[in-house]
Amino acid sequence: MLVNGKPYRSIWREENTHYFGIIDQTKLPHQFVTIRLETLQNAVTAISDMLVRGAPLIGATTACGICLALLEDSSDAGLERACACLLNARPTAVNLRWALERMRTVLLSLIPEERVEAAYREAAKICDEDVAINEALGQHGAGLIRQHQHGKGSVNILTHCNAGWLATVDWGTALAPIYKAREQGIDLHVWVDETRPRNQGAHLTAWELEAAGIAHHLIVDNAGGHLMQQGKVDLCIVGTDRTAANGDVCNKIGTYLKALAAHDNSLPFYVALPGSTIDWTLDSGALIPIEERGEEEVLNVAGTTTGENITRVRIAPAGTVAANPAFDVTPARLVTGLITERGVCEASRAGLLSLYPEHG
Ligand code: MRU
């Protein structure tokens, strides 16, 4: 996507080097800062400290982290050590494990001397495929948005967290249908949940939509149900960090409540995902590990008073402790459909298998 007129992906190989560039997403929307990943540890920290985040981008960064690790040590032991380091960087997004397994399978079949080049090739492939997959799911999702066009008004879409191009290598998952619908001339308006505690909606989704010139309003996380009751939402589209084989989806905390409200108001609730987000080993979303993050994210808010430097402001009494589950599970029965690169399906094992029969 364009940033100040220049095309960017969220991760890229720096020209004539073995290093990778990323956008430090903890600084957005106040500063656009790119940084360089030079080592495995840089990649692990970028994931765990959420300089990069979003399931597909976590997967892509994992693949790049393996490349950087092999520069130092391309032996079997070096590869296994790198996989172990990356595996625990964040627990919920299955793309991390998916990328590790894919890299490991390719690399272990080669002698150590051939691994570095092969790793860079495979990581580039993962990144390019992610872009193509998200663009394809965007096309399928745009068709759904088109069905909600009514008269002269905008189609009103509610989204939660950031599942835009910043959460993937490009295009996004939940936002890809919105970008594609916009390309097709569909009049759109997006309700953007701020997404406490880290405010990915306010910081990232609003920034993306603003840059793309797509009409939107930022809303507090609790406003969605009210707007649905008022007839101001036509459909919801969110992303997912892990989709169980039965169609349950695990996404940013608060997604479940939006799905409940959409169900109560008979509104469509769609989830957009690349195939890499499906965990075929899990029969139920209840088995998905839910990341518990530090309490400081809840007890403070991050922002700026100067337009530049980002500060944290405490919002709770000094003695208050906080809990911070970062994801929740929305049961398949609350999901109208899954938007994938292969088309739209019912949120169920049968629905997923109709698009991914190779997993049957
Ligand atoms: O904690 P984050 O910011 O990594 O959470 C991201 C989300 O929950 C996204 O909605 C999800 O990864 C789907 S992304 C394309």
Side-chain angles (χ1 to χ4, degrees):
M1 290 280 161
L2 294 179
V3 179
N4 301 324
K6 185 175 165 197
Y8 271 92
R9 285 182 173 187
S10 61
I11 189 162
W12 60 92
R13 179 147 172 206
E14 290 197 342
E15 229 175 297
N16 301 322
T17 76
H18 279 93
Y19 305 135
F20 296 94
I22 58 165
I23 300 162
D24 180 354
Q25 298 191 20
T26 64
K27 302 269 193 306
L28 288 171
H30 312 296
Q31 297 167 13
F32 183 79
V33 176
T34 64
I35 62 169
R36 173 185 266 192
L37 305 181
E38 297 184 357
T39 63
L40 168 67
Q41 192 50 49
N42 288 164
V44 172
T45 306
I47 295 170
S48 60
D49 290 357
M50 294 177 67
L51 281 70
V52 294
R53 20 71 50 209
L57 178 55
I58 290 171
T61 309
T62 299
C64 297
I66 292 290
C67 298
L68 296 169
L70 294 190
L71 289 177
E72 309 259 314
D73 181 355
S74 63
S75 67
D76 284 12
L79 178 58
E80 296 302 355
R81 250 195 317 274
C83 289
C85 269
L86 282 156
L87 187 62
N88 296 318
R90 286 194 77 189
T92 300
V94 76
N95 302 58
L96 194 155
R97 192 185 76 200
W98 169 86
L100 281 181
E101 281 170 4
R102 181 161 157 177
M103 295 295 283
R104 231 175 133 261
T105 306
V106 168
L107 298 169
L108 280 177
S109 68
L110 301 172
I111 54 167
E113 293 69 33
E114 291 173 350
R115 284 181 184 161
V116 171
E117 207 182 307
Y120 277 86
R121 247 194 337 263
E122 196 62 21
K125 230 166 124 191
I126 286 176
C127 291
D128 291 345
E129 283 173 16
D130 186 64
V131 177
I133 282 170
N134 297 328
E135 188 169 7
L137 77 81
Q139 290 288 12
H140 294 300
L144 292 174
I145 294 175
R146 182 176 290 283
Q147 291 170 14
H148 290 275
Q149 272 182 308
H150 41 75
K152 285 195 176 148
S154 312
V155 181
N156 287 295
I157 302 163
L158 183 139
T159 192
H160 190 70
C161 195
N162 174 262
W165 71 270
L166 290 168
T168 64
V169 179
D170 207 350
W171 285 104
T173 57
L175 294 197
I178 292 172
Y179 290 130
K180 282 293 174 189
R182 158 67 181 266
E183 269 184 11
Q184 295 169 17
I186 298 172
D187 192 5
L188 301 164
H189 168 264
V190 185
W191 297 111
V192 179
D193 286 351
E194 63 179 342
T195 320
R196 275 285 285 153
R198 287 186 74 105
N199 287 322
Q200 287 95 328
H203 294 168
L204 306 175
T205 304
W207 181 81
E208 281 194 29
L209 294 175
E210 177 68 25
I214 294 175
H216 61 283
H217 280 86
L218 181 64
I219 54 174
V220 295
D221 288 330
N222 294 328
H226 167 74
L227 292 169
M228 291 182 204
Q229 286 176 327
Q230 299 282 305
K232 293 179 177 169
V233 178
D234 294 305
L235 71 160
C236 305
I237 312 180
V238 300
T240 165
D241 283 80
R242 195 183 294 220
T243 306
N246 70 344
D248 292 348
V249 293
C250 182
N251 193 49
K252 182 54 56 193
I253 193 80
T255 301
Y256 170 50
L257 290 178
K258 299 304 169 299
L260 280 175
H263 183 73
D264 192 48
N265 288 278
S266 304
L267 289 170
F269 188 89
Y270 288 105
V271 181
L273 58 129
S276 55
T277 309
I278 305 166
D279 188 342
W280 294 97
T281 70
L282 296 186
D283 287 333
S284 158
L287 301 168
I288 297 172
I290 302 293
E291 180 178 16
E292 184 76 34
R293 294 191 60 88
E295 64 170 357
E296 70 287 347
E297 293 181 352
V298 177
L299 297 171
N300 300 275
V301 284
T304 177
T305 53
T306 61
E308 284 179 16
N309 291 336
I310 295 153
T311 49
R312 282 184 168 204
V313 181
R314 173 106 188 174
I315 56 167
T320 294
V321 291
N324 190 9
F327 296 91
D328 60 25
V329 175
T330 299
R333 67 187 160 79
L334 298 178
V335 177
T336 310
L338 300 173
I339 306 169
T340 79
E341 71 276 18
R342 297 193 187 178
V344 181
C345 70
E346 185 187 86
S348 66
R349 178 176 278 277
L352 283 168
L353 285 175
S354 71
L355 295 181
Y356 300 90
E358 67 272 28
H359 291 280

